[in-house]
Amino acid sequence: MVHRGVIFDLDGTLIDSMGIWQEVPDQLVRRLGGEPEPGLADLLATRDLRGGAEQLIERYGWPLTPDQVLAEADRLLDEVYGSQVALKPGAAELVRRLHEMGVRLCIATASTETQARGSMAHYGLEDCFDFMLSCTEYGGKNKPDIFLEAARRFDLPPAEILLVEDSLYSVRTAKKAGFTTVGVADDSAPEAEREEMARSCDRFIGSLTAFDWSLITGEPHTF
């Protein structure tokens, strides 16, 4: 089947952002006047964002509310996404080629829309996307709302849309909702999860450089 729309995940799919979560807590603490302790990122890893903010306030004695800490964290992340996060191999070429072919493109991400736009603008790719959607507005990818909103805006049925994603639960959700799923290998995922990802997706690729163009053209094709 020829697909006329593509939904891209952001973190781990288009951009290599996972490492920033080891660095951002230290940067945040310094911006707020503290000196980060060793292993701070690992200490916060088991907390949600608000819980992490509350823990930082307690540890460093800041006269701040959790909302103030989270607002500063958002500002910091906006800066990092807009200037420091690297693209995954093949991402720029794939996005540009699809856009040139007239394929409708969007991003559906757990990060904010501002972070998605900043990261793509940094590489001159923002204008390739019709729109960007965030789970902060549509809920997590364990339910299909964000994918169905993309289909609504594309004005295309799910069967004519690809989801390109590195998360197992996300591709499972989208596939149940009728989308064609392209799983991208996550090098940090356990082998068992990679194997399950390969079984769960309609296509499974090691990187974006191995994208299957027959999903777009309907026939074997490479660029």
Side-chain angles (χ1 to χ4, degrees):
M1 172 181 288
V2 173
H3 296 83
R4 297 190 288 152
V6 179
I7 304 169
F8 282 102
D9 172 53
L10 181 68
D11 299 277
T13 300
L14 286 176
I15 60 173
D16 189 6
S17 58
M18 300 311 177
I20 70 171
W21 297 101
Q22 288 293 319
E23 302 169 7
V24 163
D26 288 1
Q27 294 179 36
L28 177 63
V29 168
R30 291 192 180 99
R31 283 175 70 141
L32 293 174
E35 182 58 34
E37 60 194 274
L40 180 61
D42 294 334
L43 184 68
L44 297 175
T46 59
R47 301 293 188 97
D48 60 21
L49 292 177
R50 180 166 291 275
E54 292 170 349
Q55 187 171 14
L56 289 174
I57 290 168
E58 181 180 347
R59 282 181 172 271
Y60 293 97
W62 294 329
L64 300 170
T65 66
D67 284 340
Q68 289 173 318
V69 173
L70 290 172
E72 187 61 36
D74 277 341
R75 285 190 285 271
L76 174 57
L77 285 166
D78 289 349
E79 293 172 15
V80 170
Y81 271 75
S83 62
Q84 300 178 28
V85 180
L87 287 174
K88 298 284 278 188
E93 296 81 1
L94 175 58
V95 167
R96 289 193 180 105
R97 177 59 66 178
L98 288 169
H99 177 62
E100 289 168 0
M101 294 172 68
V103 179
R104 307 285 301 281
L105 305 179
C106 78
I107 288 175
T109 177
S111 295
T112 67
E113 182 180 342
T114 299
Q115 289 156 11
R117 290 193 178 283
S119 64
M120 294 298 100
H122 181 57
Y123 294 102
L125 296 173
E126 182 182 5
D127 291 344
C128 293
F129 296 93
D130 292 47
F131 52 86
M132 302 186 189
L133 303 176
S134 171
C135 292
T136 58
E137 182 174 356
Y138 294 98
K141 295 180 184 179
N142 58 333
K143 57 181 184 178
D145 298 31
I146 194 167
F147 304 128
L148 294 174
E149 175 62 15
R152 186 190 71 79
R153 294 198 192 188
F154 282 153
D155 193 23
L156 294 172
E160 294 183 18
I161 301 171
L162 297 178
L163 171 68
V164 182
E165 168 75 72
D166 71 323
S167 168
L168 177 59
Y169 76 90
S170 299
V171 298
R172 284 174 168 169
T173 299
K175 191 167 183 179
K176 287 180 181 177
F179 295 83
T180 301
T181 55
V182 178
V184 184
D186 176 2
D187 292 338
S188 65
E191 184 62 29
E193 184 173 322
R194 287 167 61 97
E195 292 174 356
E196 184 59 31
M197 185 76 152
R199 287 192 293 268
S200 299
C201 299
D202 295 292
R203 297 285 193 282
F204 183 69
I205 55 178
S207 77
L208 296 178
T209 60
F211 183 79
D212 183 355
W213 287 97
S214 69
L215 293 166
I216 302 298
T217 64
E219 58 186 30
H221 192 70
T222 58
F223 290 94

